Amino acid sequence: MTQTLLSFGHGYSAQALGRLLLPRDWRVIGTTRSEDKAAAFMQDGIEPRIWPGADMIPALDAATHLLISAAPGENGDPVLAELRDEIAKRADQFAWVGYLSTTGVYGDHQGDWVDESAPLTPATKRGIARVKAEAAWSGIDGLPLHIFRLAGIYGPGRGPFSKVRNGTARRIIKPGQVFSRTHVADIARILDASIQRPNPGAAYNVCDNDPAPPEDVIAYAAELLGLPVPEAEDFETAEMTPMARSFYAESKKVRNDRIKDELGVDLLYPDYKSGLKALFAQEMSGG
């Protein structure tokens, strides 16, 4: 039987996983809301489905693996809202199910360390919605669910360089503020490792080894580009949108021991400096 990944919300991270699976003769079906993205999927060897809208039953029947990247909305998880019963009926059919969540489910820990055993005490609406979605997926009996709590994602096309170049990058200083982050290539490798070593019920933090203040990342990007480091702005007085300010509501350092000890993952980019160096080199080479 052909191994088939059905990917709901086939976005940035899911596409990186697809690039690992397709050369190994996997079939990858990905949903999108966009006709343009569907056309791009076909060029990459992905079978697109415009969803919501498409009949997903044939894809569910074919799937051996599920990946859920679609974000929860006002009515909860969109996949479960439409297809929960159909997924539950096929729970024994799937070898692996992955749900992409966020480290935001842990809430604010004032810069302290958290691991997968930490209580889920989200401080934002986004985090609260993710906790509810995790619980909803976990509530399906017999589903081989794996939860991946992703830190801030960066990678090709999603680095700080463009903002530094065009002068919109900001170094907001909030004492004690640290974020964890992860390169998209490492996300894909972690998902792939889990597919090869299923452990239903497991949750994994997906991040690098080096939580760091966000202003340090911007400064390093400017140094790589040979451009002036943006001036520091005090968080308390900086003009920011409510959405931007909300990202500073939580400060924590996220442990990633489980992806190494259980999945055997050796990170390609264990810290933001190695990740940004690689992105910079790729941009300079035109890759």
Side-chain angles (χ1 to χ4, degrees):
M1 182 178 182
T2 301
Q3 297 201 95
T4 299
L5 176 71
L6 173 54
S7 172
F8 284 96
H10 193 67
Y12 190 63
S13 299
Q15 289 169 38
L17 174 62
R19 287 191 287 272
L20 294 183
L21 299 181
L22 286 169
R24 305 207 301 261
D25 295 324
W26 279 64
R27 180 185 180 194
V28 179
I29 305 169
T31 75
T32 177
R33 297 173 182 267
S34 162
E35 294 280 358
D36 289 343
K37 288 182 179 178
F41 286 0
M42 293 179 68
Q43 292 181 350
D44 293 336
I46 308 296
E47 298 178 33
R49 300 290 185 273
I50 305 294
W51 184 83
D55 176 9
M56 296 304 298
I57 300 305
L60 281 172
D61 286 339
T64 56
H65 297 68
L66 290 184
L67 180 66
I68 300 91
S69 308
E74 291 182 1
N75 299 317
D77 184 277
V79 180
L80 295 181
E82 182 173 323
L83 297 166
R84 187 189 191 284
D85 291 346
E86 297 295 339
I87 290 170
K89 284 194 298 188
R90 295 165 176 77
D92 293 340
Q93 168 188 314
F94 305 122
W96 178 94
V97 178
Y99 179 75
L100 301 191
S101 186
T102 168
T103 56
V105 297
Y106 298 119
D108 182 31
H109 286 263
Q110 298 182 329
D112 286 342
W113 287 97
V114 297
D115 63 17
E116 290 87 350
S117 68
L120 305 185
T121 55
T124 66
K125 289 182 179 180
R126 296 186 305 278
I128 292 168
R130 287 292 186 181
V131 170
K132 291 179 178 177
E134 284 189 17
W137 279 98
S138 298
I140 300 177
D141 289 340
L143 197 70
L145 181 68
H146 305 72
I147 293 172
F148 301 89
R149 294 173 180 150
L150 276 56
I153 304 168
Y154 72 101
R158 285 201 185 182
F161 297 124
S162 61
K163 287 186 176 181
V164 174
R165 285 192 180 102
N166 65 28
T168 61
R170 301 176 69 185
R171 293 180 62 244
I172 307 294
I173 311 297
K174 184 180 180 183
Q177 185 76 36
V178 288
F179 292 127
S180 293
R181 50 193 57 78
T182 184
H183 193 290
V184 69
D186 281 320
I187 296 173
R189 294 171 69 253
I190 290 161
L191 295 175
D192 188 27
S194 174
I195 287 170
Q196 296 180 52
R197 300 184 186 185
N199 181 16
Y204 301 95
N205 291 333
V206 180
C207 58
D208 66 21
N209 304 336
D210 186 26
E215 65 268 21
D216 290 2
V217 178
I218 295 297
Y220 188 67
E223 290 171 14
L224 286 173
L225 291 169
L227 294 173
V229 174
E231 291 187 12
E233 301 178 60
D234 184 80
F235 172 78
E236 297 300 331
T237 57
E239 290 188 10
M240 303 170 69
T241 65
M243 172 66 79
R245 192 166 286 276
S246 73
F247 283 103
Y248 289 80
E250 302 173 350
S251 178
K252 55 186 165 286
K253 294 177 284 192
V254 182
R255 294 195 186 280
N256 62 4
D257 301 88
R258 182 170 286 177
I259 60 172
K260 301 171 186 174
D261 298 342
E262 188 176 303
L263 299 179
V265 172
D266 185 16
L267 294 172
L268 288 175
Y269 306 107
D271 52 64
Y272 73 86
K273 288 188 175 181
S274 59
L276 290 185
K277 277 183 182 176
L279 282 183
F280 180 67
Q282 187 175 353
E283 285 192 14
M284 292 299 99
S285 66

